[in-house]
Amino acid sequence: MGSHIYTKGGDGGQTSLLDGTRVGKDDARVRACGTVDEACSYVGAARSRVEDACLAMALEFLQHRLYNCSSCLAAPAGTSCRVPVPTDRDVVFLEKAIDRLEADTGPIDRFILPGGCHQAGLLHVARTVVRRAEREVVALSRLEPVDPGLLRFLNRASDLLFAAARHANLSARMADLAWNANLPPPVL
């Protein structure tokens, strides 16, 4: 008989960290973990729409590293659990991927509104969820030690997703929509 997806261990609003410590599902560490998981899901949704092979590989890499971030967050400070943590090499990879994408899209000189083609819209949603995950990790870092590589990686991950969204719009022959603070109301 195989294992079940349900354990019933969380029915009372608690969950286990990697070392077995029980915490509330609203614990800062669990919230950060959950937001990284949500970001990974949005990256997966965006990746399902990607036709560019290099971008698809970069997004798959990002998903794997987001899982590394989750496992790092699931291990309480001071635990003996060994978990994969984001490395400088991972950050350098993201920077190279961003540079490759920006070589096609060019620099920007104004704020860009999220949207465009379907793929770009999904990438922008993933970007904003990664930004929220970053804020959750910052909040956690005020309560207990957090590996500094997490914040660097999440910061660069959101940059990659922004560059990827712009690249998706370029590939779909859609222009970036620059923010216009003085846009008059449309005639309906």
Side-chain angles (χ1 to χ4, degrees), residues 78-162:
T79 184
S80 61
C81 295
R82 294 189 43 94
V83 294
V85 296
T87 66
D88 290 339
R89 183 176 166 204
D90 296 336
V91 172
V92 167
F93 169 79
L94 295 181
E95 290 170 349
K96 286 181 180 178
I98 292 165
D99 292 345
R100 179 193 168 275
L101 295 169
E102 286 186 330
D104 292 338
T105 59
I108 56 171
D109 58 359
R110 59 190 74 139
F111 287 104
I112 304 297
L113 295 179
C117 68
H118 186 81
Q119 178 188 353
L122 289 170
L123 289 162
H124 276 297
V125 171
R127 173 187 59 80
T128 61
V129 176
V130 168
R131 283 284 188 217
R132 182 161 34 94
E134 185 180 11
R135 292 189 301 273
E136 296 278 357
V137 172
V138 167
L140 175 63
S141 74
R142 292 198 174 113
L143 302 173
E144 56 186 277
V146 171
D147 187 294
L150 277 171
L151 289 173
R152 272 193 312 277
F153 184 81
L154 292 172
N155 189 24
R156 219 64 87 250
S158 62
D159 294 339
L160 171 67
L161 293 165
F162 180 80

Side-chain angles (χ1 to χ4, degrees), residues 27-50:
D27 181 84
R29 188 169 285 283
V30 176
R31 280 196 318 272
C33 239
T35 306
V36 170
D37 185 38
E38 184 182 351
C40 190
S41 294
Y42 277 113
V43 171
R47 189 168 63 89
S48 73
R49 305 287 298 201
V50 169

Side-chain angles (χ1 to χ4, degrees), residues 1 6 18-19 21 27 46 58-59 65 101 103 105 116 141 147 157 165 178:
M1 183 179 210
Y6 56 88
L18 283 180
D19 69 349
T21 303
D27 181 84
L59 293 176
R65 290 308 186 266
L101 295 169
T105 59
S141 74
D147 187 294

Side-chain angles (χ1 to χ4, degrees), residues 58-74:
L59 293 176
E60 181 181 350
F61 173 84
L62 177 58
Q63 283 189 287
H64 286 279
R65 290 308 186 266
L66 286 172
Y67 259 59
N68 289 4
C69 291
S70 287
S71 61
C72 191
L73 288 165

